[in-house]
Structure formats: C-alpha cells, structure tokens
Amino acid sequence: MIIQVDNLTLEHPGKTLCRGLSVTINAGECWAILGKNGSGKTTLLNAFAGLGEPKDQADARILADGKPPHVWPRREFSRNLGILLQEEPGEFWGNVEEYVLLGRHPHLRSLFGWDETDHEIAMQALERMELTDVAHRRIGTLSGGERQRARIALLLAQSPSCYLLDEPLQHLDLRHQLATLALFHELTRNGRTIVMVLHDASWANRFCSHVLMLFDNGSATAGPVKEVLNRTNLETLYHCPMHEIGIGGVSHFIPADVAPRV
C-alpha cells in the first residue's frame, strides 16, 4: 500500500503539530516517526489511517493506494491496513488464541466463524511472537510485554499490506524489541509497508529505511535514513546534546550528559 500525504496541517489546541506536510510512503519501505512527547506523532499516525482526519482543509489530501481512507469499504480497508494503537479500547475476556483470531475478521469466508486456515494463520502468528505456551491463557493474565506481543500477533494474523504502529516496542524487553524490529524489517522485504512511532533513534537507524521528524515549531523533515537521521537533526528535535557512536558500520545516538552525575 502507498500512503500519499499532500499539504497536511494538524493542530492541537494552542499548538500546530505539523504545517503543510507532504510525504509519500511506498510499499516495501519502513518508516520511523520521531519527535518529543506531545509533538503529534500519534495524531499523524491516526490521520494516515483516516482516524480523526482533519476537516476543512480543501487543499490537503491523504490517500491510501490513490483513494481517501473514508471511501474504502471497511472490510477491504482492514484487509489492507492494520493499526496498532498505544491503548486498546475495551477489554477482551477470552484467551490469547481467541484474541489473535480477531485479526482474521476482515478475511472471514463463512458466517459460522473461523475455518482451519484462520486457525493455522493465528497459530503461526503466536509462534512468531513466542506466545504458543500461553495460547490458552486468558489475555488479562498476561504481563505487559506478553500482551503487547499478542497485539502484534493479532496484526500478523490480519496480514495487511500496510502496518501503522504507535510505539510497538512499549513494554518489550530488549530481546523482544530486537526480534520485533527484525520481523518488521522482514515484512518490508516481502513488500509490506511499515510506519511506526519510535523513541530510540538507534533502532530507527538500524532497521528503518526512512524517517519523519516532527519538530516543535510545526515543521517536519522526512526522507531516507542516511539523509535525515543525523546528530544535528536529533539535537534540534529533542533539545539535548547527543553523542554519535559508530558500531559495525551503524551509527548509534545517545544523549550526552547535561548535568554532573551524582
């Protein structure tokens, strides 16, 4: 799926989040959205999905494969685009496998529920996220990290062509952060589109092809990682000095000390 954004302005009471943003996200690309807390990352991701799309902007466009999100038939749109929100509305009372099977809803072929293929795809997603051992536990008994992996497994079962992910690494330990990002990288190599909100610029540099930065003044910078992700831009973005350390040909960015250690 290709997401095209033209001349988009997003505002929050008392603040312009982005002004006149134009960007094209192509199939097979992995994008990181970076910015300070409150910079508009979640609002922008929701706009890409047609959730809370800004009104009264006659010259602004958001297109998914050439069509505004709201004109897509809902099931067809869900077969092509999946979104991971920071917080999940409501509570699910079933077990983990039943929860992941919800991702197959846009693909249902029968009025009588899931078929064998749906169960196979759900179990493959659980295996990929290392959740087979807890497949029959109630979702509410999982730890925060396990539940986050179950939410990603649901999206894998949904199998969209485009994934919009709001902080997909929250609650995950380092090993699962690495495994999850490697999975997303693999999905893009298979032609999927990934757009995700991240807080670690080093992960973005290692696994993403493109970066979109949202600055405090409503401006934005977007482009290939090699052109956009650098110490100067990051220091402007986060308002703190940064160290750049090269390891194995990859740059890693860490905040420099701004006060004496105690």
Side-chain angles (χ1 to χ4, degrees), residues 150-202:
R151 298 176 70 213
I152 295 170
L154 185 154
L155 280 183
L156 293 178
Q158 184 179 338
S159 190
S161 59
C162 178
Y163 293 73
L164 302 180
L165 309 164
D166 196 354
E167 298 191 26
L169 304 185
Q170 66 177 345
H171 306 306
L172 299 185
D173 59 43
L174 280 175
R175 185 175 74 85
H176 285 108
Q177 288 183 37
L178 176 62
T180 298
L181 288 169
L183 166 64
F184 295 157
H185 182 68
E186 179 183 326
L187 289 172
T188 60
R189 294 185 65 180
N190 292 326
R192 300 294 198 265
T193 306
I194 303 286
V195 184
M196 55 183 164
V197 173
L198 293 178
H199 286 291
D200 190 325
S202 295

Side-chain angles (χ1 to χ4, degrees), residues 12-207:
H12 189 72
K15 183 176 183 180
T16 298
L17 303 175
C18 68
R19 183 185 301 105
L21 175 66
S22 295
V23 64
T24 299
I25 299 170
N26 293 298
E29 293 178 348
C30 183
W31 283 72
I33 301 177
L34 302 179
K36 291 171 59 179
N37 292 340
S39 61
K41 301 182 297 295
T42 294
T43 302
L44 180 61
L45 199 73
N46 288 345
F48 287 171
L51 303 175
E53 189 172 337
K55 304 295 189 297
D56 302 324
Q57 293 189 43
D59 55 349
R61 292 190 310 165
I62 299 177
L63 303 177
D65 274 352
K67 297 184 291 187
H70 68 271
V71 307
W72 282 75
R74 296 317 300 172
R75 284 190 65 189
E76 182 183 355
F77 195 57
S78 296
R79 287 194 293 267
N80 284 276
L81 187 142
I83 183 166
L84 179 75
L85 302 174
Q86 279 191 48
E87 297 183 2
E88 192 172 69
E91 186 65 45
F92 184 78
W93 297 100
N95 65 32
V96 177
E97 181 182 3
E98 292 167 338
Y99 175 77
V100 172
L101 273 167
L102 294 177
R104 298 302 301 161
H105 181 74
H107 304 274
L108 275 178
R109 292 174 290 272
S110 169
L111 296 176
F112 301 102
W114 322 115
D115 61 20
E116 184 177 348
T117 298
D118 294 320
H119 283 280
E120 289 177 356
I121 291 173
M123 289 307 298
Q124 289 168 4
L126 287 166
E127 182 177 358
R128 190 61 194 261
M129 298 310 298
E130 300 182 2
L131 292 169
T132 52
D133 290 345
V134 298
H136 298 295
R137 277 176 50 186
R138 285 182 55 185
I139 192 77
T141 69
L142 300 185
S143 70
E146 289 170 330
R147 183 154 185 163
Q148 184 73 350
R149 283 153 50 205
R151 298 176 70 213
I152 295 170
L154 185 154
L155 280 183
L156 293 178
Q158 184 179 338
S159 190
S161 59
C162 178
Y163 293 73
L164 302 180
L165 309 164
D166 196 354
E167 298 191 26
L169 304 185
Q170 66 177 345
H171 306 306
L172 299 185
D173 59 43
L174 280 175
R175 185 175 74 85
H176 285 108
Q177 288 183 37
L178 176 62
T180 298
L181 288 169
L183 166 64
F184 295 157
H185 182 68
E186 179 183 326
L187 289 172
T188 60
R189 294 185 65 180
N190 292 326
R192 300 294 198 265
T193 306
I194 303 286
V195 184
M196 55 183 164
V197 173
L198 293 178
H199 286 291
D200 190 325
S202 295
W203 282 138
N205 200 28
R206 185 171 176 181
F207 288 99

